[in-house]
Amino acid sequence: MDSPPQNPKMGLLTACSFPNWYENFEKITIKSYIIPIPANVLDYLRDDMIILPKECIPDDEENNDDQEEDEEEEDVISFPDFSGKIYEMLKGNLPGGAFVKTNWHCARDAHWIMPGQSLKVLDVAEVYQLLKASNFSKMDLSPERGFDSGFNFCLILRKWQEINPANEFRCFVRDHTLLAISPRAWPEYYEHIYQQKSDIVRDICTMFKEHIKNRFPLKDYVFDVVRERKDSVQLVDFAPFAPEHTHSLAFEWLELEDEEKFPTGGEDEPEFCYLKESIGIQPKQKDLYGVPLEFTTLTSGHGDATVAEHLTNLGL
């Protein structure tokens, strides 16, 4: 096999920016459409204003508001070209709905603003709502991320598909070797994972060796997959092999970086860490978004008693 196509000049975030890897792995991931974000839309998305563009207003509602025709021109926010591309993509290519993403993150922290708290978008207004409400999206689109994205800030619309969190896994690669696999929904207990553990590891390893190994431009990276059934593994995303950017879930970063604990250069025989029995109801990560910061801070590293006492003190 030819030597791996590692690019030493390519940064961690640059390699993991969606437009930089999608074309090479299009056949094994979710169908997606990339829309470059123009400068005027970037300025709007970075701003804290909550006014939606004119294109988000239903036609009948706009026609009935004759008095608003006298408004100052500069008070009207409108991006007809960009909004038109979103509309055409949703109606023509993604009639069943889409999943919104920017260069590195989906807007998962803004699920609370959507009907039913789903991340599924069906129209232009919902796309803008998610992007405006999401801190992850704002971080991706910040000027500080310009060099990492090649100043190619993008909106990505991915074909919507229902994914069972129990079938999502995070995989850690160091020096081109698949070291470890963790459930994405850590620390949730799922009985089928214990029952199918060998098949899960085998299917992920097969997909990695056939489609990803020595093809991604970094030697150290993380990738997420979904395995809905036996012999069917789909790539979801890539992320940097770095604690400042990526959650290690069932593992500690120190052990993942330890050559003695996880030696590289040999066969891809990853350690699969999962819960073997239920440890009770655990808070879901997405439920922490939209929870008051005081509660999130309070519960971090503390027991249930602390939360109960705080609720009691508040009279709740």
Side-chain angles (χ1 to χ4, degrees):
M1 177 180 290
D2 295 336
S3 59
Q6 167 129 8
N7 184 350
K9 295 183 180 180
M10 181 172 284
L12 300 180
L13 288 173
T14 304
C16 297
S17 179
F18 189 90
N20 289 340
W21 65 258
Y22 176 69
E23 183 178 354
N24 292 332
F25 298 96
E26 182 176 2
K27 293 182 179 179
I28 61 168
T29 191
I30 301 166
K31 184 64 178 176
S32 305
Y33 299 90
I34 302 172
I35 305 176
I37 304 176
N40 60 336
V41 179
L42 268 178
D43 291 339
Y44 163 74
L45 293 175
R46 290 167 178 168
D47 196 283
D48 290 333
M49 72 171 71
I50 58 174
I51 302 173
L52 293 179
K54 181 181 179 181
E55 299 83 54
C56 299
I57 303 174
D59 291 337
D60 54 349
E61 184 177 324
E62 186 176 5
N63 293 333
N64 290 334
D65 292 340
D66 294 333
Q67 295 180 353
E68 295 187 4
E69 293 181 0
D70 297 329
E71 282 188 331
E72 295 289 336
E73 186 72 24
E74 59 266 24
D75 292 338
V76 178
I77 300 172
S78 181
F79 310 110
D81 292 340
F82 183 70
S83 299
K85 291 177 182 177
I86 297 175
Y87 178 85
E88 292 172 4
M89 210 63 77
L90 290 175
K91 299 304 178 185
N93 301 87
L94 301 164
F99 182 76
V100 172
K101 179 181 172 67
T102 41
N103 290 61
W104 294 276
H105 296 93
C106 69
R108 64 183 184 275
D109 58 325
H111 68 92
W112 53 270
I113 203 171
M114 298 291 289
Q117 297 196 355
S118 169
L119 291 175
K120 180 180 182 179
V121 298
L122 295 168
D123 58 44
V124 176
E126 291 179 339
V127 173
Y128 279 110
Q129 286 174 349
L130 276 179
L131 292 176
K132 290 294 290 181
S134 170
N135 286 326
F136 285 119
S137 297
K138 280 187 169 62
M139 178 175 65
D140 278 7
L141 303 178
S142 66
E144 292 76 17
R145 288 289 177 95
F147 287 102
D148 296 313
S149 67
F151 294 95
N152 179 27
F153 295 104
C154 294
L155 164 68
I156 296 99
L157 298 177
R158 313 200 74 179
K159 182 179 180 180
W160 179 262
Q161 62 183 57
E162 296 289 346
I163 295 178
N164 185 345
N167 296 327
E168 292 184 280
F169 302 93
R170 173 156 291 178
C171 310
F172 301 86
V173 178
R174 181 163 52 80
D175 198 15
H176 305 290
T177 304
L178 181 56
L179 304 176
I181 300 173
S182 168
R184 285 281 282 117
W186 180 265
E188 291 283 327
Y189 168 73
Y190 296 105
E191 184 177 358
H192 82 279
I193 290 181
Y194 173 76
Q195 297 172 340
Q196 302 176 24
K197 57 184 182 296
S198 297
D199 288 340
I200 292 172
V201 172
R202 186 189 66 249
D203 287 349
I204 292 177
C205 283
T206 298
M207 182 262 215
F208 171 70
K209 293 175 182 177
E210 292 181 353
H211 300 288
I212 298 178
K213 187 180 179 74
N214 294 333
R215 291 175 174 84
F216 193 68
L218 301 178
K219 65 184 181 68
D220 306 333
Y221 55 93
V222 176
F223 66 95
D224 293 337
V225 299
V226 57
R227 178 188 179 270
E228 293 290 359
R229 59 187 181 278
K230 190 175 182 297
D231 298 324
S232 177
V233 179
Q234 190 174 38
L235 174 66
V236 176
D237 210 352
F238 286 102
F241 188 93
E244 64 269 27
H245 296 299
T246 307
H247 200 303
S248 58
L249 300 175
F251 299 92
E252 297 292 336
W253 273 112
L254 286 178
E255 62 177 336
L256 290 171
E257 295 168 341
D258 187 344
E259 181 65 22
E260 292 188 8
K261 169 70 174 177
F262 289 105
T264 60
E267 293 296 320
D268 296 294
E269 298 176 347
E271 177 179 329
F272 185 22
C273 186
Y274 57 91
L275 290 183
K276 298 176 177 61
E277 59 184 18
S278 175
I279 58 174
I281 298 176
Q282 299 297 308
K284 291 180 172 59
Q285 184 66 33
K286 73 165 191 152
D287 292 338
L288 297 179
Y289 306 125
V291 173
L293 180 60
E294 291 80 1
F295 278 88
T296 306
T297 304
L298 179 69
T299 57
S300 178
H302 294 80
D304 291 339
T306 307
V307 180
E309 289 171 2
H310 187 60
L311 291 171
T312 301
N313 292 335
L314 293 175
L316 300 175

